[in-house]
Amino acid sequence: MSTKVSQQGSISIVFVCSLPVMLILFGIVMAVSMHLQAANRAIYASEAAAFSLAIKNRVDDQAVMKYAEYYKPYMAEIASEPKVTRRVDAADNTEYQVTVAYGFESTATVLINDQPSNIVVDGHSVSKVSVSRDAVDVALVLDTSGSMSGDMADLKNIINEALPEQNKGDTVRFSVIPFSGAVGVENVRWLPESNQSLMCVSGLSETNSTVDIPLTVKQLDFLPANLNIKATKGSEWLADCSDSGAILPLSADLTAVRNKIDSLSAGGNTASYQGLIWGVRTLLDEWSFDWSVDDKTGTKITKRLILFTDGQDGGTVFDDLTNAGVCEKIKSELNIEMSFIGYGVDSSRIRQFQSCAGGSEYVFDAQNTAELRTYLQAAIKGAVQSDLSVRH
């Protein structure tokens, strides 16, 4: 009996003596586990945040903090404000580096120095945005009919604010196609009469002096030498084709584009189908020589057309052209992306544009100046933004 008591006592003494060591080891294991978890979570948070900034291609401190909060491990805190570093190299590639730090208290050292230790671990990640140097051609098809008289100043300001400040490598070109009841041209190679004065031109093809919608669709991308373009000399008395309304062919000179926008004036009726047809023709590679612009055949070019109007066309020509397949030809055969912005127009006009564009995501219905600013600037900035590829 005495032997058993002695053995039990020995076991108790060993257990009591080893308990602090066991607690320290347990604390160390917990500390290591917390450390690994905090380190992994910090890497996840920084990685997600850096990738998000790269997609946006701008610094967003609030978004970074949300990622830090989301990935924060249980029983840990954000040790310091996440750090964001943005660098741009000579090739215009942008790098975003994000560092997130988490801190937690470890009880592993309580038995050693009577107080827990505060442990801070951090993780960082880098995402890089590579900017493609592919060219972008944008046709701005703008309603300058009489109903725009009170809003022309706002339209000019909105477009000028949306245009890029710089055009590195001349990778972005704009054409400006003002339209009212007609479209005007001057000093264009394909119409010698325009060298002497402004000429009002129609994009509609005719058969026996009657508008031929199927023929118009068929000849949309024909060279001017193969077209019988109806042209009328413009004058100050012809509201549908004023001196300020001549087309500006594709240009990488942003000053020339701004000057063209600033020169616009309002007057005349509305014929957006004329603007659409001639806007497309400013984007065709085959017409480069005739517009006297640089031929970029062989270069990958993204072509985009933005049509803005505040009114309804007279007649059914736009619908007739859509039903005859002009919009599908523009998108599928000519590879031109289209978006439409209606300003204070009725629902039937919006449906008309949606039918042409092939979906509501390419059509914007602005009912006031603030919405017009938002939609038009988003359309222009989105059109000129180079394709981005993001990598870690």
Side-chain angles (χ1 to χ4, degrees):
M1 183 69 69
S2 60
T3 303
K4 285 185 178 181
V5 172
S6 174
Q7 288 175 344
Q8 289 176 351
S10 298
I11 293 172
S12 299
I13 292 172
V14 170
F15 177 76
V16 171
C17 292
S18 62
L19 183 60
V21 176
M22 293 172 62
L23 290 174
I24 291 174
L25 290 175
F26 178 77
I28 291 174
V29 170
M30 289 298 295
V32 171
S33 176
M34 283 291 293
H35 188 282
L36 291 174
Q37 184 185 44
N40 286 334
R41 291 295 188 90
I43 292 173
Y44 294 156
S46 62
E47 204 169 59
F51 188 78
S52 173
L53 298 185
I55 291 294
K56 297 178 181 179
N57 202 15
R58 64 181 176 86
V59 174
D60 187 341
D61 292 329
Q62 291 184 341
V64 174
M65 181 58 75
K66 286 181 180 179
Y67 282 108
E69 290 282 357
Y70 179 80
Y71 284 99
K72 180 173 67 67
Y74 180 66
M75 296 182 66
E77 300 294 335
I78 298 175
S80 59
E81 194 81 16
K83 181 181 178 182
V84 178
T85 304
R86 179 178 184 270
R87 298 186 181 90
V88 181
D89 63 21
D92 280 346
N93 297 316
T94 305
E95 179 182 280
Y96 292 90
Q97 178 172 312
V98 178
T99 302
V100 175
Y102 295 124
F104 64 93
E105 288 189 344
S106 172
T107 59
T109 57
V110 170
L111 297 178
I112 299 175
N113 55 18
D114 296 327
Q115 62 181 6
S117 297
N118 188 47
I119 298 176
V120 176
V121 293
D122 62 34
H124 73 273
S125 183
V126 176
S127 284
K128 182 173 289 188
V129 184
S130 299
V131 182
S132 169
R133 305 310 298 176
D134 294 342
V136 181
D137 287 346
V138 183
L140 299 177
V141 182
L142 306 174
D143 187 344
T144 57
S145 61
S147 58
M148 280 296 297
S149 297
D151 298 301
M152 187 57 70
D154 287 332
L155 179 65
K156 294 176 182 180
N157 290 335
I158 291 170
I159 294 175
N160 280 322
E161 289 172 7
L163 292 174
E165 292 297 325
Q166 297 179 341
N167 191 9
K168 293 183 178 180
D170 291 345
T171 55
V172 180
R173 298 187 298 182
F174 288 93
S175 60
V176 181
I177 303 88
F179 71 86
S180 47
V183 170
V185 295
E186 58 183 354
N187 297 320
V188 292
R189 181 174 281 153
W190 55 267
L191 188 61
E193 299 96 312
S194 68
N195 295 329
Q196 304 298 322
S197 65
L198 177 80
M199 299 297 294
C200 303
V201 293
S202 174
L204 301 176
S205 299
E206 295 185 355
T207 300
N208 298 325
S209 301
T210 301
V211 172
D212 189 329
I213 295 297
L215 185 62
T216 300
V217 176
K218 179 181 178 180
Q219 295 184 339
L220 179 64
D221 55 339
F222 279 23
L223 290 173
N226 299 323
L227 294 172
N228 184 20
I229 297 173
K230 186 176 180 180
T232 306
K233 185 176 180 179
S235 73
E236 59 181 321
W237 310 109
L238 192 59
D240 281 336
C241 186
S242 64
D243 289 341
S244 70
I247 289 176
L248 174 71
L250 284 171
S251 175
D253 184 346
L254 297 180
T255 300
V257 175
R258 286 191 167 87
N259 288 341
K260 183 62 191 179
I261 297 298
D262 289 338
S263 73
L264 298 178
S265 60
N269 300 310
T270 303
S272 60
Y273 54 86
Q274 294 283 6
L276 178 64
I277 291 170
W278 288 107
V280 167
R281 286 174 173 166
T282 65
L283 296 174
L284 297 177
D285 293 334
E286 296 83 356
W287 279 62
S288 296
F289 174 80
D290 296 290
W291 290 117
S292 300
V293 300
D294 292 337
D295 183 3
K296 290 195 174 184
T297 301
T299 302
K300 181 182 177 182
I301 302 177
T302 300
K303 300 175 184 293
R304 297 185 170 113
L305 183 148
I306 302 169
L307 190 151
F308 160 82
T309 183
D310 75 333
Q312 193 84 15
D313 290 354
T316 63
V317 176
F318 197 103
D319 287 329
D320 294 340
L321 287 168
T322 300
N323 294 333
V326 72
C327 300
E328 194 59 37
K329 179 171 184 174
I330 293 170
K331 292 179 294 184
S332 301
E333 294 183 29
L334 305 181
N335 296 314
I336 296 174
E337 302 170 13
M338 293 185 292
S339 58
F340 299 86
I341 300 173
Y343 182 39
V345 301
D346 59 31
S347 57
S348 64
R349 184 65 150 160
I350 295 300
R351 288 194 299 271
Q352 186 182 61
F353 288 152
Q354 289 173 345
S355 176
C356 182
S360 58
E361 64 268 32
Y362 306 109
V363 180
F364 305 93
D365 183 10
Q367 293 299 321
N368 52 57
T369 304
E371 290 182 350
L372 176 62
R373 182 181 301 275
T374 298
Y375 296 148
L376 189 51
Q377 290 191 355
I380 294 175
K381 291 179 179 180
V384 303
Q385 184 177 13
S386 300
D387 293 332
L388 301 179
S389 60
V390 181
R391 63 180 185 271
H392 290 295

